Amino acid sequence: MTMELRHLRAFLAITEEGTITRAAARLHTGQPALSRTLRQLETHLGVRLVDRSTHHLELTAAGRTFRERAAAALAAVDRALDPRSLASLPLRLGHPWAALGDLTVPLLRRWDEEHPDVPLELRRVDDRTAGLTQGTVDVALLRGEVTAPGLVTELLMEEDRVAVVPAGSALAARDTLTLADLASSPIALNTVAGTTTLALWPASGRPTETIEVTNTDEWLTAIAVGRAVGISTSATPRLHTHPSIVYRPLTDAPPVPLVLAWRSGTPTHPAIETLVRLARELVAGL
């Protein structure tokens, strides 16, 4: 027979109350049923836990040892099933690049001040959903269209696009740039988590050469050494300065949505709603 938590609770009630009668009343069950539960537990363990030969029940040596184990096991289960205990778990915030831009540090500082009992862990994950669909983070800051199924999104803002070009190039000498200005150069495309595709350009004027990279570091390097130009959002210049890279406003490209995303239909971290409210508050203050 499979043992259940009720067997442990029944045994502990008997040890605490001292008689089957009082234990049965405490558990709101009948004495015969409680006696059967105790016998089932003893049969499963292969030892006698309670000495029934005296007027008052007494634990055997095996019963005293098992009492400690049963109490520890039930305490662990109760803690695991208590939703309040989840509040102390770290809240893992993923992002593939740029996080919340120049609001990243204010977000982390405000969180530490207002919610010291819930660590907020910022994790960069080079993935389209920053590890959200794999379960490695609880919530993610994502840019562009979010197409992965089973996710809930909250729009925080729309970021302007910027052109990213090598310092010292002819393009770097311009105050602003257009998509057409970039079309004659190789375009660095982050194929894992980027928001730039050739679909930004009209079919008749698309770049003919691209360089594919898989993360932000490779993307920055390709531009810095003069192999390509790139397109990003206004959040990137604030987090990624480089002496060999220049950022210029891109005047004719649509903005990029920035969203907070989390999984739907499964148990989620109870602090996600609090994080959403704080992020909205910080964005509203811009």
Side-chain angles (χ1 to χ4, degrees):
M1 179 178 179
T2 302
M3 291 296 99
E4 302 172 1
L5 291 179
R6 64 182 180 88
H7 290 88
L8 300 184
R9 297 192 190 281
F11 171 68
L12 290 177
I14 292 171
T15 64
E16 292 166 3
E17 296 296 336
T19 69
I20 295 289
T21 300
R22 288 200 296 267
R26 170 176 158 179
L27 297 174
H28 305 289
T29 188
Q31 295 181 44
L34 186 56
S35 295
R36 284 195 301 273
T37 300
L38 176 59
R39 287 196 300 272
Q40 290 167 354
L41 179 60
E42 291 177 324
T43 299
H44 176 80
L45 295 173
V47 295
R48 179 64 65 89
L49 299 174
V50 177
D51 184 356
R52 303 171 180 78
S53 62
T54 61
H55 181 68
H56 295 287
L57 296 181
E58 294 183 1
L59 294 180
T60 64
R64 290 191 293 273
T65 299
F66 185 71
R67 176 177 57 188
E68 303 301 324
R69 296 179 182 178
L74 280 179
V77 170
D78 289 341
R79 284 195 300 271
L81 297 180
D82 184 357
R84 294 171 299 177
S85 66
L86 293 177
S88 61
L89 292 175
L91 178 59
R92 303 166 299 173
L93 174 60
H95 71 103
W97 51 276
L100 196 55
D102 59 356
L103 292 177
T104 302
V105 171
L107 174 70
L108 297 176
R109 286 179 175 171
R110 281 278 303 276
W111 186 271
D112 289 347
E113 293 171 359
E114 299 175 10
H115 309 284
D117 296 332
V118 186
L120 179 60
E121 298 179 353
L122 185 66
R123 300 184 179 184
R124 174 182 150 184
V125 183
D126 293 318
D127 175 75
R128 180 63 60 183
T129 64
L132 191 57
T133 55
Q134 287 77 25
T136 56
V137 300
D138 304 297
V139 59
L141 286 159
L142 305 176
R143 287 174 171 83
E145 183 182 6
V146 178
T147 59
L151 299 183
V152 178
T153 61
E154 172 80 15
L155 178 64
L156 295 178
M157 68 174 88
E158 290 190 330
E159 296 175 334
D160 293 332
R161 277 188 163 96
V162 296
V164 191
V165 300
S169 65
L171 293 175
R174 304 273 296 275
D175 292 332
T176 63
L177 293 169
T178 65
L179 289 169
D181 293 331
L182 304 179
S184 59
S185 302
I187 307 296
L189 301 179
N190 183 337
T191 58
V192 173
T195 58
T196 302
T197 70
L198 294 183
L200 277 177
W201 284 265
S204 59
R206 287 176 181 168
T208 58
E209 186 178 356
T210 61
I211 294 179
E212 294 187 355
V213 298
T214 60
N215 58 59
T216 301
D217 296 330
E218 294 176 0
W219 180 82
L220 289 168
T221 300
I223 299 170
V225 300
R227 296 174 181 171
V229 299
I231 297 175
S232 189
T233 78
S234 55
T236 303
R238 299 167 185 139
L239 296 182
H240 297 287
T241 58
H242 195 291
S244 298
I245 286 178
V246 170
Y247 297 93
R248 293 290 182 260
L250 191 60
T251 59
D252 59 347
V256 176
L258 171 62
V259 304
L260 269 174
W262 60 94
R263 295 183 299 277
S264 65
T266 60
T268 58
H269 196 293
I272 288 178
E273 291 186 7
T274 304
L275 178 66
V276 173
R277 288 195 297 270
L278 178 55
R280 279 201 302 246
E281 181 180 334
L282 289 172
V283 169
L286 283 176

